């Protein structure tokens, strides 16, 4: 599959246009149009009508429609090009463009899920999500909400991975708070025995030196430990050693959103990824594909390198609310496009196998 995705290209152009607007209202209008385009289920080509006009798209106004028509008809948008040139922000726009590479729009996600020529994991072989946040840290969903939504989706388990105390900005939990949370999880697991299992987890913060800010004893109170970078995500110096140290930390199971990139605004960690993946393979640590549409981290291009290294994968949503459970589609799509075998995706494993793997770390 090529990178040809007009929805993605056009959403990017609308973001570029938003960035050079002077009025907050038009900035907001173009941004809203861009996200409407990213969320379309069909390619924009199918919105073009025989008379050359565009079918109405919710949240896309006349100025955005003009940009869309220019691109559909000529492959480029003179409107956006001249607005950027006039703003004097050409290099900034180029940088944002680079930071939108290999992000999938909703229409490409659905195409990858429905493409039978692609093998790999699928929604119906996916048993549970291993990165989720609750009201205990910075999420809006309660533990009960996670159980209810998990059961509704036919999952067998989910891991609650609230932030640890090392990340105060995300309301990280102290070990005392985790102990309280674990009592609540035990009570829910008793109530839902045989139907659903909530796993005790944490998202530990990978610090600048690669340590995860929690002791081995503390990590061992958890059933699933996601270690993920939340700082130094805009520096271009090599951070291979930082990431290798994190995956080699005993008790870590998943390298979460490995790059820490953000759509159009942040490149994330620079590292020799094949070396990081080789270390993860040796340590039996899973590489996460974070399905949050603004993260998509790692993406299908890097996933190919992790497949070549023989890594395990965790396909997670990083959900902060029950609406975010659908982000799993994006994670699965990247895995399928990256050629990840379903067998290597820990979320496809039955609970007993998952726990055996986790305890071996
Ligand atoms: Zn995180």
């Amino acid at each position: 599959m090529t990178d040809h995705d007009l929805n993605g290209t056009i959403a990017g152009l609308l973001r570029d246009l938003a960035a050079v607007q002077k009025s907050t209202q038009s900035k907001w209008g173009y941004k809203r149009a861009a996200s409407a385009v990213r969320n379309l289920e069909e390619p924009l080509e199918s919105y073009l009508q025989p008379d050359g006009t565009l079918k109405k798209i919710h949240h896309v106004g006349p100025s955005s429609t003009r940009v869309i028509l220019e691109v559909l008809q000529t492959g480029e948008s003179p409107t956006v090009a001249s607005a950027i040139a006039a703003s004097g922000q050409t290099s900034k726009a180029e940088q944002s463009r680079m930071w939108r590479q290999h992000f999938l729009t909703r229409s490409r996600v659905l195409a990858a899920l429905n493409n039978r020529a692609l093998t790999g994991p699928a929604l119906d072989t996916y048993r549970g999500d291993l990165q989720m946040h609750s009201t205990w840290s910075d999420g809006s969903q309660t533990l009960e909400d996670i159980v209810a939504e998990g059961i509704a989706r036919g999952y067998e388990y989910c891991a609650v991975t609230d932030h640890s105390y090392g990340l105060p900005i995300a309301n990280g939990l102290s070990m005392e708070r985790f102990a309280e949370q674990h009592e609540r999880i035990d009570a829910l697991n008793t109530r839902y025995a045989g139907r659903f299992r909530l796993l005790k987890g944490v998202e530990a913060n990978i610090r600048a030196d690669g340590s995860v800010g929690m002791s081995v004893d503390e990590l061992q109170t958890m059933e699933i430990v996601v270690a993920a970078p939340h700082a130094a995500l805009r520096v271009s110096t090599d951070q291979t050693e930082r990431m290798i140290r994190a995956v080699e930390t005993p008790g870590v199971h998943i390298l979460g959103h490995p790059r820490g990139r953000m759509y159009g605004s942040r490149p994330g960690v620079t590292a020799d990824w094949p070396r990081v993946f080789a270390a993860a393979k040796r340590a039996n640590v899973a590489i996460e594909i974070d399905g949050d549409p603004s993260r998509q981290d790692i993406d299908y291009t890097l996933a190919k390198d992790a497949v070549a290294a023989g890594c395990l994968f965790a396909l997670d949503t990083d959900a902060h609310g029950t609406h975010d459970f659908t982000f799993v589609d994006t994670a699965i799509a990247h895995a399928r496009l990256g050629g990840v075998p379903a067998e290597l995706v820990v979320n496809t494993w039955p609970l007993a196998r998952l726990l055996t793997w986790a305890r071996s770390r």
Side-chain angles (χ1 to χ4, degrees):
M1 189 181 237
T2 67
D3 266 346
H4 181 75
D5 171 24
L6 272 190
N7 292 19
T9 304
I10 289 170
L13 288 168
L14 294 171
R15 292 286 292 222
D16 288 344
L17 204 47
V20 299
Q21 296 305 304
K22 290 207 172 68
S23 97
T24 40
Q25 199 187 346
S26 43
K27 213 181 249 304
W28 180 79
Y30 285 122
K31 270 191 167 179
R32 192 170 72 158
S35 75
V37 168
R38 283 181 80 204
N39 288 324
L40 288 177
E41 300 199 341
E42 302 288 334
L44 271 169
E45 290 91 324
S46 68
Y47 284 79
L48 194 57
Q49 307 186 100
D51 65 358
T53 62
L54 199 69
K55 271 186 230 162
K56 175 70 194 148
I57 301 169
H58 201 50
H59 291 326
V60 174
S63 327
S64 299
T65 298
R66 185 170 68 164
V67 171
I68 295 172
L69 285 173
E70 283 175 356
V71 179
L72 286 177
Q73 284 152 5
T74 70
E76 46 202 301
S77 171
T79 301
V80 176
S82 60
I84 293 174
S87 76
Q89 298 184 37
T90 309
S91 61
K92 204 176 151 205
E94 278 165 7
Q95 192 166 58
S96 301
R97 251 169 235 175
M98 236 167 56
W99 295 341
R100 289 189 212 110
Q101 271 187 352
H102 311 309
F103 277 85
L104 301 177
T105 60
R106 183 73 184 153
S107 93
R108 272 198 83 197
V109 166
L110 294 178
L113 295 184
N114 296 324
N115 183 349
R116 287 169 180 275
L118 297 172
T119 54
L123 261 184
D124 58 2
T125 53
Y126 185 86
R127 295 174 192 257
D129 202 321
L130 299 175
Q131 194 196 157
M132 318 214 95
H133 300 271
S134 77
T135 49
W136 286 70
S137 68
D138 61 345
S140 62
Q141 53 190 353
T142 63
L143 301 181
E144 289 83 352
D145 291 337
I146 295 175
V147 173
E149 187 64 24
I151 290 174
R153 295 179 68 95
Y155 292 175
E156 291 173 27
Y157 49 78
C158 280
V160 187
T161 56
D162 280 313
H163 296 281
S164 67
Y165 54 85
L167 202 62
I169 47 161
N171 193 23
L173 303 189
S174 65
M175 290 314 291
E176 290 71 30
R177 290 277 288 156
F178 272 122
E180 285 173 45
Q181 187 190 50
H182 290 179
E183 281 178 28
R184 296 285 298 278
I185 290 176
D186 285 337
L188 282 167
N189 284 335
T190 304
R191 195 179 339 147
Y192 290 93
R195 294 178 62 199
F196 191 81
R197 177 72 146 71
L198 212 48
L199 298 165
K200 297 165 188 166
V202 61
E203 182 181 7
N205 180 33
I206 301 176
R207 298 194 291 199
D209 66 357
S211 63
V212 300
M214 293 174 75
S215 71
V216 174
D217 287 350
E218 288 171 349
L219 292 177
Q220 270 166 1
T221 64
M222 307 290 170
E223 293 174 298
I224 292 290
V225 175
V226 178
H230 299 91
L233 306 175
R234 294 175 189 277
V235 296
S236 55
T237 48
D238 180 86
Q239 299 183 59
T240 307
E241 298 310 323
R242 175 194 188 193
M243 305 313 284
I244 289 180
R245 183 172 174 197
V247 299
E248 287 178 345
T249 304
V252 169
H253 301 112
I254 296 169
L255 179 59
H257 52 72
R259 292 207 287 185
R261 70 172 184 168
M262 203 51 79
Y263 177 75
S265 66
R266 193 169 79 195
V269 167
T270 302
D272 180 348
W273 290 107
R275 275 188 62 211
V276 176
F277 298 149
K281 162 69 182 168
R282 279 195 304 275
N284 213 17
V285 163
I287 301 298
E288 185 177 72
I289 298 181
D290 187 313
D292 180 327
S294 62
R295 291 189 177 275
Q296 310 197 22
D297 184 8
I298 57 174
D299 64 55
Y300 63 99
T301 59
L302 265 187
K304 288 176 187 166
D305 290 342
V307 169
C311 289
L312 295 174
F313 288 82
L315 311 187
D316 302 328
T317 61
D318 205 345
H320 285 64
T322 49
H323 289 298
D324 301 343
F325 273 63
T326 54
F327 294 172
V328 71
D329 298 348
T330 309
I332 292 175
H334 277 283
R336 290 168 67 86
L337 292 170
V340 175
E343 172 64 16
L344 296 181
V345 175
V346 298
N347 318 68
T348 67
W349 295 352
L351 179 64
R353 183 174 175 199
L354 181 77
L355 289 174
T356 303
W357 163 70
R359 287 183 195 122
S360 74
R361 279 288 308 145

